[in-house]
Amino acid sequence: MASSKVFTLEEVSKHSSKDDCWLIIGGKVYNVTKFLDDHPGGDDVLLSSTAKDATDDFEDVGHSTTARAMMDEYYVGEIDATTIPTKVKYAPPKQPHYNQDKTPEFIIKILQFLVPLAILGLAVAVRIYTKSESA
C-alpha cells in the first residue's frame, strides 16, 4: 500500500453500478462490487453511497471491527481530497417575523397579559359568589 493509486472523484463516480461499485470511505477508495451480495444491509445501501464521500454514511451505521477489517481486501487506492466538494453547513434563509393578521405587536403583548388576568379574576369572582350563596 506504499505506492497506492490516487483517484479523483470523477474517476470513482464512474463506478456506481451493481456490476462495478466503488466507495470512498475515510479518504480511501474501495471496490466493493464482489461484496454487494454479501452486505448485511443489502446492495442498495452501498449503491446509494457511490459517487460521493461515503465516510459519514459508513460511520453513522456503527460498523463492527470485523467489518472494518474486511475493508482491506477491497482497497484499490486513495482519493484526491481536492476533488471532493467541501461540505457547506446549511443555514436556513433569514425570514421576517410572521404576523398573519397584521395586529400590532403591543396589542398582542397586552392581550397575552390581560386575558389570563381576566380569567383569573373571573374565577375568583365565581368562587366568592358561590361561597356567599352557600353561606
Side-chain angles (χ1 to χ4, degrees):
M1 284 210 308
S3 63
S4 56
K5 180 153 172 43
V6 177
F7 297 94
T8 65
L9 179 62
E10 185 180 352
E11 290 173 309
V12 175
S13 297
K14 293 175 184 173
H15 305 274
S16 59
S17 69
K18 200 168 182 148
D19 300 320
D20 186 19
C21 181
W22 290 19
L23 295 179
I24 302 166
I25 300 171
K28 297 180 180 179
V29 180
Y30 300 93
N31 180 348
V32 295
T33 309
K34 293 177 183 171
F35 185 63
L36 288 175
D37 292 333
D38 299 328
H39 186 257
D43 60 0
D44 289 343
V45 175
L46 296 176
L47 290 167
S48 69
S49 295
T50 59
K52 66 176 185 174
D53 184 350
T55 306
D56 289 344
D57 296 347
F58 181 81
E59 295 298 339
D60 288 348
V61 174
H63 286 87
S64 66
T65 50
T66 308
R68 292 174 189 276
M70 287 176 66
M71 292 170 66
D72 289 341
E73 75 181 84
Y74 301 106
Y75 175 83
V76 290
E78 303 286 319
I79 187 70
D80 179 355
T82 61
T83 63
I84 297 176
T86 55
K87 291 182 181 170
V88 178
K89 187 167 171 66
Y90 174 73
K94 299 277 187 225
Q95 294 181 344
H97 178 71
Y98 183 64
N99 187 350
Q100 187 176 7
D101 58 3
K102 309 290 188 239
T103 309
E105 293 288 324
F106 73 93
I107 293 178
I108 293 173
K109 293 203 182 299
I110 290 172
L111 288 176
Q112 285 177 334
F113 176 74
L114 290 180
V115 169
L117 197 59
I119 292 171
L120 181 65
L122 184 63
V124 169
V126 167
R127 175 78 175 138
I128 292 171
Y129 177 75
T130 56
K131 209 172 197 180
S132 64
E133 288 287 318
S134 61

